[in-house]
Amino acid sequence: MSSLGWMITAFLCAGAGIGGYVSTLVVRERRLTKHLDTLRKGS
Amino acid sequence: MATSPTTRRSRNLKLLGSAAWGLLALSLIFIFFVAREADDYPGGGPLQRIFYFHVPSAWVAYLAFAVVFISSIAYLRTSERRWDLLAHGAAEIGVLFTSLVLITGPIWARPAWGTWWQWDARLTSTLILWLTYLGYLFLRSLTRDPARSGRLAAVVGIIGFLDVPIVHFSVRWWRTLHPSGPTPADPTRSSGLGGPELLAFFTALVAFTLLFAWLLATRVRIGRLEDEVDRLEIEAERPDRGPASGIPVST
């Protein structure tokens, strides 16, 4: 692979890592907020 | 009209997130369109641009583990849940960014050195750091008792931080393949970076630092929500026993 190819691979890996983590945080926060609303309404 | 602390905190978090992502976008422009390409030696050329996010990732990992270290000491002294939440969040982010260091480094090394990995001091101590904090997260997942797992994890978090100076100074203490920048012993050694390259590098460094602050604040907020859910679920299961005990209250 060319130098450019390796550089793009590294960049995509870093982007996927950060993007993946941010997505899990966003999904977790939404799910918890929704669940919390349900629990508060029930109590 | 006066705003509540929760609303204000939420607005500050949004502002921090916007600043982090905005600066990250700007740093990408600087990295790919402003910084000049290095000479075409092994590890140079376009490949050298990996440096602009490899080094900031390592910086964020150091920062995250420093937060784990300080928060763990504070938690052992005070037993306040907020320190435990901070340490847990910072460890998670530290492991993420150490993973990025351990992925982007070998991607650079393969064409530059002709091998993915060398068991030299910098690489090996970084791998040990990653494994230590991976163990820290695993330890936390073993027990549902937050106070017990918090105390055990705090001890690991403090001991694990001892590896950070070893990682950092390994390139000076031992002969390694890993490149090093200017050192106090050799301050005249040039980093080889000109004005545009330094601009790209420091913009990325600040962007990654802001991103860390935003990720940590978001992670701590999720930790608080999890505590609140646990508390309400236990109260719902045992309505006759009053408020749930044993569930940490985030302060």
Side-chain angles (χ1 to χ4, degrees):
Chain A
M1 202 190 314
S2 67
S3 286
L4 186 67
W6 287 115
M7 189 270 288
I8 292 170
T9 307
F11 173 73
L12 290 178
C13 286
I18 294 171
Y21 184 65
V22 170
S23 326
T24 57
L25 286 186
V26 170
V27 170
R28 263 166 90 180
E29 191 174 16
R30 267 192 208 152
R31 237 181 242 169
L32 280 166
T33 311
K34 207 170 157 187
H35 188 43
L36 204 56
D37 283 346
T38 315
L39 284 170
R40 279 179 182 149
K41 274 176 201 160
S43 64
Chain B
M1 197 174 72
T3 52
S4 72
T6 314
T7 314
R8 213 169 32 238
R9 222 170 14 214
S10 176
R11 202 177 51 201
N12 289 344
L13 191 61
K14 270 185 191 159
L15 266 173
L16 182 63
S18 308
W21 289 109
L23 208 60
L24 203 62
L26 187 68
S27 76
L28 287 179
I29 294 170
F30 287 164
I31 291 169
F32 292 106
F33 302 106
V34 176
R36 291 162 299 188
E37 205 157 87
D39 295 337
D40 201 13
Y41 55 89
L47 201 59
Q48 196 256 349
R49 291 189 204 277
I50 291 177
F51 155 84
Y52 295 107
F53 45 94
H54 176 76
V55 178
S57 296
W59 156 248
V60 168
Y62 285 175
L63 199 62
F65 296 138
V67 172
V68 177
F69 177 69
I70 295 166
S71 308
S72 298
I73 292 173
Y75 179 67
L76 288 179
R77 284 172 65 106
T78 65
S79 296
E80 283 178 20
R81 176 68 174 156
R82 61 179 170 160
W83 294 115
D84 190 34
L85 286 177
L86 198 62
H88 189 180
E92 215 173 84
I93 298 164
V95 167
L96 167 73
F97 280 90
T98 312
S99 307
L100 297 185
V101 169
L102 288 171
I103 291 167
T104 55
I107 290 176
W108 176 86
R110 179 70 183 87
W113 296 342
T115 179
W116 294 102
W117 186 263
Q118 277 286 319
W119 291 100
D120 86 343
R122 172 57 72 83
L123 275 66
T124 309
S125 55
T126 307
L127 182 67
I128 291 170
L129 186 70
W130 182 73
L131 288 171
T132 304
Y133 283 96
L134 205 61
Y136 171 101
L137 294 177
F138 180 63
L139 186 71
R140 299 203 68 120
S141 66
L142 286 181
T143 166
R144 284 287 291 162
D145 176 4
R148 188 176 153 77
S149 76
R151 276 195 305 275
L152 277 173
V155 174
V156 176
I158 292 166
I159 295 170
F161 186 72
L162 298 178
D163 192 31
V164 170
I166 297 175
V167 172
H168 186 72
F169 293 110
S170 56
V171 286
R172 296 183 201 169
W173 293 343
W174 295 284
R175 194 177 292 177
T176 73
L177 264 178
H178 193 281
S180 63
T183 65
D186 185 9
T188 54
R189 182 177 171 165
S190 168
S191 63
L193 301 177
E197 293 75 42
L198 286 172
L199 176 72
F201 174 68
F202 283 108
T203 309
L205 201 67
V206 175
F208 270 62
T209 308
L210 288 181
L211 183 66
F212 165 68
W214 178 73
L215 287 172
L216 185 57
T218 306
R219 183 63 188 81
V220 168
R221 196 159 82 160
I222 289 173
R224 284 204 186 104
L225 287 174
E226 283 169 345
D227 283 354
E228 183 66 4
V229 165
D230 281 350
R231 195 180 61 78
L232 287 174
E233 276 179 347
I234 289 180
E235 274 182 23
E237 280 168 20
R238 306 182 304 179
D240 53 320
R241 294 193 188 176
S245 61
I247 296 299
V249 177
S250 306
T251 48

